Amino acid sequence: MTDNKTSILDGGHHGDGLGFDSRAIHYGFNPVDFGRAVQPPVFLTSTYGFESVEANEAAAALGGRLYAREYNPTTEILEKRLAHLEGAEAGLVVSTGMAAFGTLVLSLLSQGDELVVHKTLYSNTISMIEQGLPRFGIKVVPVDLSQPSNLDEAITDKTRLVYFETPVNPLSAILDIEAIAQRAHARGVKVAVDSTFASPALQRPIEHGADIVLHSLTKYINGHGDALGGALLGDAETLHKLHETGLRYITGATLSPHSAFLILRGLKTLSLRMDRHSSSALTIAQMLEAHPAVGWVSYPFLDSHSGKAVAQKQMSQGSGMLAFGLKSGFDGARKIFDRFQLLTRAVSLGDTDSLIYHPASIMRARQAIRADAHLVDGVGDDLIRLSVGLENVEDLVADLRGAMQVL
Ligand SMILES: *Cc1c(COP(=O)(O)O)cnc(C)c1O
């Protein structure tokens, strides 16, 4: 009698040729290798014993299956699965999304090299490029990549990498992956895309010409707000370097195997969740756009979004992230924020729970301890970011409407 699960997964493919959802559940895990456990076991060990000196040498030659900073069987399943879902040859997972960015730039760039970035990025990535990288002699060149032709002037013979997010945090602006990759490749420069806002269920940048994809696994891929993680996906040669230098001795930012297990569990329901996040976010974006107190709404799949055509080219749905501003600006945001009953006032995004955040309030508070704290380029003090969760959309609409009644 054939074992269904084994026959799907045998032949060394472990799920090749299956649809996205089937691979999100099965790819890279063959139960036969793990005592026929249906779910991947968590390997809590810091090191691995060897039968002989020869076996130890063979493991070292394999690229570091010696010690748990560089190798863990649970983590390896997650790396293989994410790489396959993104259409990448190889993957690396690390402790956070910021660790992924640090691993990327500190492994691939050296003193004197240049990094071209889109001018608006996740706020801590901005801190790294403004305060971190220049200390190591790496020049960062911010440009507006909403006009891909701006790249032509920004790239020099010292440029090693072009880096951007799409959708862009926190604006939900859209950048054209294909157009940017074509221009960068014409000059021999690699392109890395932070695809955290979309997840591979909605957008796979490598299919549009990107070389490397970065994710904060903390967000949609884990999806439940209970673990931190980061990932880099791309060609085998680059990923080998990121693993053997970046993770092994530059950052040492290993993902906990328990977090790898949680993230593998979250990944199993990724496209179901993204479908619901996206449909609820579109409903809420349309409600906000029609509301008399709202000045503007940015959601990629709204007709009013300037990037809608590009979004439809590279994303299958709009995801759960939207930004909006009230006509009463900063003061209006302050007035409604304490009135939410269901929406949670919190940073982070991509959770089952809806999270709402007003960057300017936090920035003003931070300026008391850090005079040079500033809002990211392109973010106004009226901007409210909403990560639409998986609650009933009528309840979310009612909570927003109720809070806005004071305006
Ligand atoms: C949150 C986030 C990061 C950083 O990820 P952490 O897991 O919090 O370190 C990077 N990029 C984007 C777009 C993010 O939203």
Side-chain angles (χ1 to χ4, degrees), residues 279-300:
S279 66
S280 295
L282 182 59
T283 301
I284 290 171
Q286 286 164 340
M287 179 282 282
L288 288 171
E289 204 165 43
H291 196 286
V294 173
W296 58 272
V297 183
S298 173
Y299 181 71

Side-chain angles (χ1 to χ4, degrees), residues 95-99 122 125 163 165 167 169 194 196-197 214 216-219 228-230 349 385:
S95 58
T96 65
M98 281 312 295
Y122 168 64
T125 305
Y163 184 84
E165 300 164 0
N169 188 357
D194 179 338
T196 298
F197 264 39
L214 181 145
S216 167
L217 302 175
T218 315
K219 314 294 172 51
L228 300 176
L349 60 105
R385 187 185 76 179

Side-chain angles (χ1 to χ4, degrees), residues 48-350:
Y48 303 90
F50 295 98
E51 226 172 272
S52 63
V53 173
E54 207 178 310
N56 200 328
E57 286 166 357
L62 252 177
R65 293 189 160 197
L66 300 171
Y67 185 59
R69 190 186 324 101
E70 312 94 27
Y71 172 68
N72 179 281
T74 314
T75 304
E76 190 179 47
I77 297 163
L78 179 59
E79 287 173 338
K80 284 189 179 160
R81 192 168 293 175
L82 285 172
H84 204 263
L85 293 174
E86 284 287 1
E89 288 172 7
L92 174 69
V93 296
V94 291
S95 58
T96 65
M98 281 312 295
F101 185 67
T103 300
L104 176 74
V105 291
L106 296 175
S107 304
L108 300 187
L109 301 173
S110 303
Q111 190 175 19
D113 288 347
E114 296 182 5
L115 170 69
V116 174
V117 298
H118 179 59
K119 64 189 177 86
T120 309
L121 290 161
Y122 168 64
S123 61
N124 290 299
T125 305
I126 292 277
S127 300
M128 176 63 164
I129 61 168
E130 285 182 355
Q131 290 156 46
L133 294 181
R135 291 179 41 230
F136 303 104
I138 295 163
K139 184 173 166 195
V140 180
V141 183
V143 288
D144 182 357
L145 290 179
S146 63
Q147 288 299 331
S149 58
N150 288 343
L151 257 189
D152 301 349
E153 227 172 280
I155 290 179
T156 73
D157 56 4
K158 291 181 180 155
T159 309
R160 294 288 165 269
L161 191 67
V162 173
Y163 184 84
F164 61 94
E165 300 164 0
T166 188
V168 180
N169 188 357
L171 303 169
S172 291
I174 298 293
L175 299 176
D176 188 334
I177 302 168
E178 189 185 6
I180 295 167
Q182 272 174 6
R183 286 184 184 263
H185 290 165
R187 304 283 293 276
V189 176
K190 285 198 173 180
V191 172
V193 178
D194 179 338
S195 189
T196 298
F197 264 39
S199 93
L202 304 186
Q203 167 179 286
R204 290 174 293 279
I206 290 171
E207 292 175 1
H208 303 280
D211 301 289
I212 299 164
V213 177
L214 181 145
H215 282 290
S216 167
L217 302 175
T218 315
K219 314 294 172 51
Y220 285 113
I221 291 177
N222 179 55
H224 293 72
D226 52 11
L228 300 176
L232 293 160
L233 302 315
D235 65 277
E237 195 186 324
T238 306
L239 264 290
H240 183 75
K241 191 167 176 186
L242 296 173
H243 203 148
E244 292 304 309
T245 59
L247 178 61
R248 183 186 293 271
Y249 63 78
I250 295 179
T251 67
T254 304
L255 182 71
S256 134
H258 187 250
S259 296
F261 167 82
L262 287 172
I263 295 163
L264 278 165
R265 185 169 69 171
L267 185 54
K268 292 195 178 207
T269 55
L270 180 66
S271 47
L272 271 176
R273 288 185 286 106
M274 293 316 292
D275 189 41
R276 177 69 170 269
H277 284 299
S278 301
S279 66
S280 295
L282 182 59
T283 301
I284 290 171
Q286 286 164 340
M287 179 282 282
L288 288 171
E289 204 165 43
H291 196 286
V294 173
W296 58 272
V297 183
S298 173
Y299 181 71
F301 275 46
L302 273 184
D303 290 338
S304 58
H305 194 288
S306 62
K308 188 182 180 195
V310 177
Q312 283 180 321
K313 179 176 76 163
Q314 63 196 27
M315 298 174 78
S316 54
Q317 292 182 90
S319 191
M321 297 304 300
L322 60 91
F324 65 102
L326 299 170
K327 287 179 182 155
S328 48
F330 180 91
D331 296 334
R334 289 304 291 254
K335 268 193 210 142
I336 67 168
F337 249 64
D338 286 345
R339 294 173 50 85
F340 298 123
Q341 311 272 320
L342 182 59
L343 303 177
T344 303
R345 290 168 286 277
V347 298
S348 199
L349 60 105

